[in-house]
Structures are given as structure tokens and as C-alpha cells.
Amino acid sequence: MRKLLRADRSEVDWTMAKIDDNRDSLTRLRDDLDKPEQLPSYWNMSHNIPAPLNRRGNPKMLVNVDKATKKAIEKLINATWEQELVGKGADAKGLNHNRIKVLSVQRVENPALFNRYQDQRKLLLEKMIRGGEPSRPIGYIKGTKGDLETTKELDDFMKSDLIKDINEHYLLHGTKVERIPALVRHGLDPKHSSPDAMFGKGIYAAESSTKADQYADTEDKRRPHKYRNKMILSRMLLGNVFLCNENHKSVANRYGPKLSGPPCMKCLEDRCRCAQSEKFDSVMGDRHLRFREFVVYKKEQIYPEYVITYKRSM
């Protein structure tokens, strides 16, 4: 009997998993849909702990996390750091440090923003129930490198509130220090993304802290190592994920049109005319690309939950 390729194994394993787990997963999806919307139980706001006030007398939305949470996130950053890839690639020009050190972690407690995210999560649950099955897990997608590193490396207590059946995961997003106040108040928005980005105008995140670190500053204006930088650990609703590799027409033709959003699940075109067809919910850049990237095209599909302050060092 011939040896199965990795892609073949993924397909076979997913088929068997669906047979074994389909009824249970539909029950879980319905149970999750029926749960009342509420703020995360670990938020200070959920325990009626008064938030400190800012200069204008309004509650601050950034809250210092406890020691266990800081330790878990620090461990995640270190585990997903790939020193050998520092300075590699167009977005990494000018970087020459060996590691990064987490200085502090704050949680974003923005009820309006989180409720918007919860509403989108409900819509995604309804979509999966209509389709009769959960989202295919990342590790079972044909052609992918495997499960998400952030999900594998993050401590279990940090993931207890996530819904795996709709591919809800934590991922890292690099950003500049000056953008943090707007992100905390209004969230991430694809309209601020470049239309020339590899997978189109979306919100990008990565499983590698090395990749996220590339966007703390620009290639031509790298900050000295003594400066404090920021990255975000965000919840993301990936749902049904479309794998886009280097052979996809939007990537292979560097100067051609980019994805306008997730493609149709039937014709695999992002600009399609299929009647009554569903689209994928997100895009994953994978295969021979240096880093995997995950892209959503709706601001409601991501919640920037943790602001990580760190320094680069040799």
C-alpha cells in the first residue's frame, strides 16, 4: 500500500473525525449559540471591580493582568520566537536583534467592542449549524503545515473561553506604539490596511512573535533597542479557512489584483456570481511562505484583547 502524503492524511483524518464527532459538534454548536452573551469571566468588569479613571474621568480600558496571565503570554512569545528568521524577508529589513523581552501585559476591557465581536461569533455559529458541520480545524486543512502554534503553546486556562468548532483562536498582531490608543477604543479595521498587501485589504495576524515584531516600526525607521514596542494578542474568528499559497493567482502575480475577501466555497473565486453559495470566512497564507499569516476582512472578526509591551535585545 502506498504511503499517504501529508495532504492525503489530512483529508482522511478529517473525514474520519467528521464521522465520529459530527453529532457531538452540532450539539456543541447549538449549546454555544444558546449561551447568553456576557463579558469574559476573568475580566475585572465581570467582578464589579471599579476601573481606574483616565484624565477625563472615564474608565480606563487597559487593565494590568495577573501574574499567571502575564507568565502564560510571556511563555507564548518566547515559544513562538524564531531567531533564525529575524531580518529575513521584505518586511523584516533593518532588524538584527536576537530576542525580545516582555515587560508588561495589559488586557483590553472594552465592552462595546467585545459585544460587537460576540455578535459576529453568533453569526458564525449559526452559519456552521446551517451547514451541518463545524469549521475544519487548521491542522486538517489540505496542504497546511499543521495546527496553530499559538494554540499549541498557549496555556489551557487562556483558551477555555474559545469556541474551537468555529476556529476561534488567539493570534499575534504587530503594530506601532502610537496606534495603541485607537486600537483599544475602536479595534482593528481592514480599511487601514494597504490594498497592496499580499492577501488584499484585510486584518493580518500571525502565530509567530518574530513575524508580529516586524510591524512595530517601519523598515526605513527601525527604533533603537532601548525603545519599548507593542504587539497585540487578539482573539480571531477564522471560521472556514481558505488556504492561499504562493501559486494562487493573487500571490503569484505580484502586480495583479489582490483578494477582495475570502473566496466562494464553490468556485473558489473572491469575485464570484454563484447563486446561494457561502464564502470562506478567512484566508490563511501557507505552504512555502516563510511565515503563515491569517487574514480576516471584517473588523467584527477580531478582538484585540492583550497589549504586550516588550523590548528588543541582542
Side-chain angles (χ1 to χ4, degrees), residues 11 33 39 44 49 83 97 101 122 135 137 141 144 176 180 196 257 275 278 296 313:
E11 199 65 35
L33 184 63
L39 299 178
N44 285 3
I49 298 174
Q83 194 275 325
H97 53 295
K101 178 178 175 57
K122 292 281 188 184
S135 302
I141 295 174
T144 191
K176 297 177 178 61
I180 293 298
D196 298 322
E278 295 277 13
V296 293
S313 62

Side-chain angles (χ1 to χ4, degrees), residues 103-119:
L103 302 176
S104 66
V105 179
Q106 293 175 295
R107 184 171 54 248
V108 178
E109 296 195 359
N110 184 333
L113 207 59
F114 191 79
N115 287 337
R116 184 180 76 181
Y117 176 83
Q118 284 195 113
D119 289 343

Side-chain angles (χ1 to χ4, degrees), residues 33 37 116-130 166 237 278 281 298 300:
L33 184 63
E37 291 190 356
R116 184 180 76 181
Y117 176 83
Q118 284 195 113
D119 289 343
Q120 187 64 35
R121 188 163 63 172
K122 292 281 188 184
L123 292 175
L124 205 50
L125 284 165
E126 290 172 351
K127 177 181 177 180
M128 300 308 155
I129 292 170
R130 285 198 310 271
I166 56 172
L237 298 169
E278 295 277 13
D281 304 294
K298 295 178 181 178
E300 296 84 4

Side-chain angles (χ1 to χ4, degrees), residues 42-45 47 49-52 60-71 73 102-109 184 228 230 305-309:
Y42 51 85
W43 279 23
N44 285 3
M45 288 184 178
H47 300 279
I49 298 174
K60 288 184 177 179
M61 295 182 183
L62 278 175
V63 177
N64 292 328
V65 300
D66 58 29
K67 290 182 179 179
T69 302
K70 181 179 183 292
K71 184 178 179 180
I73 292 177
V102 174
L103 302 176
S104 66
V105 179
Q106 293 175 295
R107 184 171 54 248
V108 178
E109 296 195 359
V184 169
R228 297 185 173 207
K230 306 281 186 181
E305 191 162 15
Y306 296 97
V307 177
I308 303 163
T309 302

